[in-house]
Amino acid sequence: MHSAVPSSRFPVLAVAAVVVVLASSAGCCRAQLANNFYAGKCNASVEIIIQKAVRARLAWDNKMVAGLLHMIFHDCFVQGCDASILLDGPGTEKTAVQNTGMFGYDFIDDIKSDLEAACPGVVSCADIIVAATRDAIAMSGGPSYGVQLGRRDGMSSAAWMCSDLPPPHVDIPTATGMFAKKGFTSFEMAALMGAHTVGVTHCSVMNDRLYGYNGTADPSMDPSYAWVLQTYACPKGQTYDNIVYLDDPNSILTFDKSYYSQIIKHRGALGVDQGLGDDSSTGWMVRFFANTDNFFPVFVQAINKLAAVGVLTGTDGQIRTNCRATN
């Protein structure tokens, strides 16, 4: 499907969208979140402790950038950025089908242990997710940006609330509506989906697109791309649920704008990825991010806005000692 936006209007719409998004960034965060929130509250630098941990983990596990981005989105989109996704127990968000394949819980535990050793009871698990994601993005080729901290941890977690999360093959009008309920424009949605540049999924999620059309691939998928996935990554009948990267094989786990170029080539892995390029309301956004240098600044604004959704501050919530359980 071709975009309904006339090419002559494309630059005007694009510039207007960027101006609106970036102009809104000043007011995106809760007043009680702050830059340098932990200054003077810990004997060591909280952010340096987190940065060192992220650097050490990425040195041997570079998929962690994907895990953290997955985690921050699934945490913040459900009940706000309160680390409720980390809580163990029956019926918690961790048990929801939407969080199957989530990884990185052990890494958050490791960072929390380091911080508890330096300054017990000071740094929230919610802030660890936000700061560690920021560092992983920068260390994987993405933008370096500041984050405001001061979140507190939630005290409840419910799997049923994960219905707020857009499924991997949702159509774009439905996805746009789900993002709008959280206060995001379709342009911000398109920028946040750019996180799939380092994203991973599994064959179990891909099988409908690869074999669900009378045994063949989704006709919107580039045939050569579909053949590679069917032949090497996700052949019929395999018992192991292989990983599938969401970006160009030459750019996997590098945070860049190549995700959008892949969509233009009809190599979007998930249905929602390809839908972003094919839908008349968002196709121009894909081309805009692919062909300009605006992805990074718009993404930074959008993820900081995401990181401020439904935050607990002041005396709300608590600072968990163990990220997996309330105090």
Side-chain angles (χ1 to χ4, degrees):
M1 183 185 296
H2 296 290
S3 171
V5 180
S7 59
S8 61
R9 289 182 60 206
F10 169 77
V12 176
L13 282 173
V15 170
V18 172
V19 168
V20 169
V21 168
L22 297 183
S24 70
S25 63
C28 78
C29 300
R30 287 281 296 269
Q32 288 174 286
L33 297 179
N35 300 318
N36 303 312
F37 178 83
Y38 292 107
K41 297 175 181 168
C42 185
N43 292 328
S45 169
V46 167
E47 298 206 39
I48 288 177
I49 289 172
I50 296 173
Q51 286 169 2
K52 286 182 176 178
V54 173
R55 184 174 292 109
R57 183 63 177 248
L58 290 178
W60 64 270
D61 182 14
N62 58 355
K63 292 194 303 298
M64 188 51 63
V65 63
L68 289 168
L69 277 160
H70 195 185
M71 187 180 292
I72 193 174
F73 181 73
H74 281 223
D75 184 42
C76 294
F77 225 71
V78 178
Q79 206 170 229
C81 305
D82 64 349
S84 54
I85 196 170
L86 302 178
L87 290 173
D88 286 340
T92 59
E93 292 170 36
K94 273 187 180 178
T95 68
V97 65
Q98 293 91 340
N99 289 324
T100 302
M102 182 74 66
F103 62 94
Y105 300 124
D106 65 311
F107 182 45
I108 300 299
D109 290 340
D110 291 344
I111 298 175
K112 180 62 171 174
S113 294
D114 291 345
L115 289 165
E116 286 296 301
C119 41
V122 172
V123 184
S124 69
C125 303
D127 273 349
I128 293 172
I129 294 174
V130 170
T133 301
R134 179 271 311 271
D135 293 337
I137 288 169
M139 293 176 194
S140 299
S144 297
Y145 60 96
V147 294
Q148 293 190 322
L149 302 175
R151 295 161 193 79
R152 290 170 65 85
D153 299 321
M155 300 175 68
S156 65
S157 181
W160 65 267
M161 296 187 74
C162 293
S163 60
D164 284 356
L165 292 163
H169 301 306
V170 66
D171 62 81
I172 293 303
T174 301
T176 300
M178 295 177 85
F179 273 84
K181 287 179 180 178
K182 302 295 180 180
F184 292 90
T185 67
S186 58
F187 193 64
E188 291 167 328
M189 176 187 77
L192 286 171
M193 286 176 62
H196 286 182
T197 185
V198 292
V200 297
T201 188
H202 291 83
C203 291
S204 56
V205 179
M206 291 290 301
N207 281 337
D208 282 350
R209 286 205 77 205
L210 293 176
Y211 301 107
Y213 295 78
N214 294 320
T216 63
D218 183 338
S220 70
M221 186 180 287
D222 170 51
S224 62
Y225 178 60
W227 179 84
V228 168
L229 292 177
Q230 291 169 331
T231 303
Y232 297 106
C234 305
K236 273 186 179 179
Q238 76 170 5
T239 56
Y240 184 73
D241 197 11
N242 275 343
I243 281 177
V244 177
Y245 292 98
L246 302 184
D247 198 4
D248 184 340
N250 295 316
S251 182
I252 57 174
L253 302 178
T254 298
F255 197 98
D256 56 24
K257 63 181 182 179
S258 61
Y259 161 80
Y260 300 104
S261 298
Q262 284 291 98
I263 293 173
I264 291 171
K265 296 173 184 175
H266 289 274
R267 294 177 182 174
L270 303 177
V272 70
D273 293 329
Q274 195 55 54
L276 190 69
D278 292 347
D279 192 274
S280 60
S281 67
T282 53
W284 70 270
M285 302 174 191
V286 170
R287 296 191 297 276
F288 176 66
F289 287 133
N291 296 316
T292 71
D293 293 325
N294 289 284
F295 169 51
F296 279 9
V298 178
F299 176 83
V300 166
Q301 184 279 331
I303 197 167
N304 271 333
K305 181 175 177 177
L306 175 69
V309 171
V311 296
L312 302 173
T313 58
T315 58
D316 293 336
Q318 62 182 202
I319 305 297
R320 290 183 213 144
T321 302
N322 175 353
C323 291
R324 294 174 180 263
T326 57
N327 295 342

